[in-house]
Amino acid sequence: MSVTAAAPLLDIDLDQPLPELIAACREVVEDIEFPTVRRWRERGGRVLGHFQVYFPEELAHAAGMLPVKVRGAQVERREADSRFGSYICSILRTSLELAMSGRLEVDMFVTHPICDAARNLAGIWERNLTTPAQILYLPQNPNSAFAVDYLTEEYRRVLGDIEGIAGTTVTDEALRASIAVYNENRRLLRELYAIKRETPWLLPVDEAYVLVAIGALIPREEHNELLHAVLPRLRERDGRPQDRMRVVFEGGFCEQPPLDLLHAIAQFVYVVDDDLLIGLRWIMSDVDDVGDPVRGLATAYLEQSSYSPVQHDLRKPKEAMLLERIRGADAQAAIIAAAKMCEPGLDEQVAYAHALDEAGVPYFVTEFEEQMTGFDHLQIQLETFVENLLFE
């Protein structure tokens, strides 16, 4: 059942002053009761929740479902902790807590074997909830000549489950229409990041994050409308550049840092590029909608994509890609972050440090957890790092 033509899920006036509009979006992003998802379900819509990092949302969108990125939250863990071992990152626990507490209700859940902990998440969900859970097996060897064929069939397998949940058959025409909607969204997000890269004093990292993250909670048509309303006003904002260092933030590919942490960072530096919520920006150019649309999505994942520690593509060595991101954003330094207990992130932190040392790029190393509430220590360390570079 499709409810995309119904009234908007966001109860936000797009014509209100820009600071108030962004603040209203932030309230939605941080609301652990997921009001937009509840409104969708109240209207008879079905929801597909997908875990980090990337999922081809067009498959669910074409079936009339609302794709929602499951990315944890700052929520007290009362039930989920007893379902996991001790040394597990926070995002896995809080994501399950949201479902077990009834805050986030989905009709289907999809996860990916991006790490040892996440590969078991579907089984844990099915054992503790009535929600059907599925694993999308993205190619472990993207460089294989058969990777596109394999991923096309894997997408079709998951699409069959989506059709069963949605009670509909997804046609090629429906998929092409969804691809067109998402292509527009990707173009708008690239424009948003261009503003942050070219005029970072107009768009601090925490505000940019909110404008991206809200797209994971509403239909993409509605997100496109929001971005069309906001982007011109961002460029017209009153603001003058300050003497701040330009940096790249790396380490937000899965568990997300608290918004207050990003706000604290923005007090000292301009974050001109990052990998925050990279799954929503994974495809970097328009997906081809000519021919088989499922194959077009599979090809885009492999050939038109960004990078992360959980994709092992020999054509995209992550250290080289980070250096390219730094150069492309004309950044002067990098913040290399990792979520606590995140094995891929902590491993990559070491590799990134070696590469940055060899390239002579200054960097600041830190850890975070989504449940953090105090940032004074980090602010002092970051301020010291910046001052040392400015005055050396």
Side-chain angles (χ1 to χ4, degrees):
M1 178 187 300
S2 175
V3 295
T4 55
L9 295 182
L10 286 177
D11 185 18
I12 293 177
D13 178 9
L14 298 184
D15 294 323
Q16 65 183 304
L18 191 58
E20 286 84 347
L21 173 56
I22 295 175
C25 290
R26 174 170 177 164
E27 287 184 13
V28 175
V29 169
E30 293 189 303
D31 192 331
I32 60 174
E33 300 297 334
F34 294 87
T36 57
V37 180
R38 288 183 180 273
R39 289 190 193 111
W40 179 271
R41 291 180 61 84
E42 288 168 358
R43 297 172 187 176
R46 297 180 186 271
V47 178
L48 182 143
H50 60 92
F51 192 66
Q52 302 276 38
V53 171
Y54 171 76
F55 178 79
E57 290 191 349
E58 291 91 336
L59 300 180
H61 182 274
M65 299 183 75
L66 176 66
V68 173
K69 179 173 280 295
V70 180
R71 54 181 178 83
Q74 286 189 316
V75 60
E76 183 182 355
R77 301 191 301 257
R78 295 185 176 183
E79 300 185 62
D81 274 3
S82 62
R83 273 71 176 181
F84 293 95
S86 300
Y87 299 102
I88 299 293
C89 60
S90 178
I91 185 175
L92 293 171
R93 301 167 184 267
T94 57
S95 294
L96 182 63
E97 183 70 34
L98 291 171
M100 294 186 69
S101 64
R103 293 182 174 92
L104 177 60
E105 294 185 65
V106 301
D107 298 281
M108 179 178 176
F109 176 68
V110 181
T111 187
H112 321 276
I114 58 174
C115 65
D116 287 341
R119 75 175 67 249
N120 297 309
L121 194 54
I124 294 172
W125 274 60
E126 285 202 321
R127 177 172 292 184
N128 292 280
L129 300 160
T130 59
T131 306
Q134 183 56 265
I135 300 174
L136 173 61
Y137 291 96
L138 298 167
Q140 292 297 303
N141 180 11
N143 306 118
S144 167
F146 303 101
V148 173
D149 292 336
Y150 162 78
L151 187 55
T152 300
E153 292 308 308
E154 182 66 1
Y155 280 180
R156 289 194 185 282
R157 179 184 68 82
V158 174
L159 179 58
D161 289 339
I162 291 172
E163 290 175 326
I165 297 293
T168 189
T169 299
V170 175
T171 64
D172 285 354
E173 288 74 18
L175 261 177
R176 292 190 186 102
S178 293
I179 288 172
V181 170
Y182 276 77
N183 278 345
E184 180 184 7
N185 189 253
R186 284 182 276 265
R187 288 192 292 268
L188 291 168
L189 290 177
R190 290 197 295 272
E191 184 178 346
L192 181 76
Y193 264 68
I195 294 172
K196 188 170 75 163
R197 186 169 54 250
E198 296 163 8
T199 53
W201 52 91
L202 299 180
L203 184 60
V205 60
D206 53 315
E207 292 187 355
Y209 182 93
V210 165
L211 293 172
V212 174
I214 199 166
L217 299 169
I218 56 178
R220 276 301 185 278
E221 294 91 340
E222 192 170 342
H223 193 214
N224 290 345
E225 182 182 359
L226 170 66
L227 292 175
H228 275 299
V230 167
L231 290 173
R233 296 167 66 185
L234 286 173
R235 293 192 181 278
E236 297 167 358
R237 239 179 176 177
D238 289 332
R240 300 179 62 181
Q242 299 180 14
D243 186 19
R244 293 184 182 176
M245 183 174 292
R246 298 170 59 92
V247 306
V248 163
F249 182 98
E250 193 81 7
F253 63 94
C254 187
E255 184 170 325
Q256 299 299 293
L259 267 168
D260 285 340
L261 184 149
L262 296 179
H263 179 72
I265 291 173
Q267 304 309 301
F268 298 100
V269 296
Y270 289 136
V271 178
V272 290
D273 205 352
D274 57 63
D275 67 342
L276 297 163
L277 292 173
I278 192 63
L280 297 177
R281 303 178 289 115
W282 183 254
I283 307 300
M284 301 175 67
S285 56
D286 284 0
V287 175
D288 186 2
D289 60 358
V290 177
D292 180 356
V294 178
R295 188 175 184 86
L297 288 168
T299 300
Y301 172 81
L302 294 163
E303 305 295 339
Q304 300 163 231
S305 56
S306 186
Y307 68 96
S308 88
V310 297
Q311 188 196 48
H312 308 290
D313 190 332
L314 297 178
R315 300 167 300 175
K316 298 186 293 185
K318 290 174 281 294
E319 297 85 348
M321 296 298 288
L322 172 58
L323 291 171
E324 182 178 323
R325 174 172 278 164
I326 292 170
R327 288 191 292 266
D330 193 25
Q332 301 159 281
I335 297 176
I336 306 302
K340 292 181 180 180
M341 303 294 179
C342 176
E343 184 177 351
L346 292 168
D347 284 349
E348 209 59 50
Q349 207 174 43
V350 176
Y352 285 150
H354 285 306
L356 293 171
D357 280 335
E358 291 180 0
V361 177
Y363 59 92
F364 176 80
V365 177
T366 188
E367 287 186 1
F368 67 86
E369 187 181 50
E370 61 183 1
Q371 305 285 34
M372 289 173 64
T373 56
F375 312 105
D376 292 346
H377 188 58
L378 180 142
Q379 283 184 302
I380 293 171
Q381 290 180 321
L382 182 59
E383 185 177 16
T384 302
F385 168 76
V386 170
E387 289 179 350
N388 285 341
L389 292 176
L390 291 176
F391 298 112
E392 66 179 8

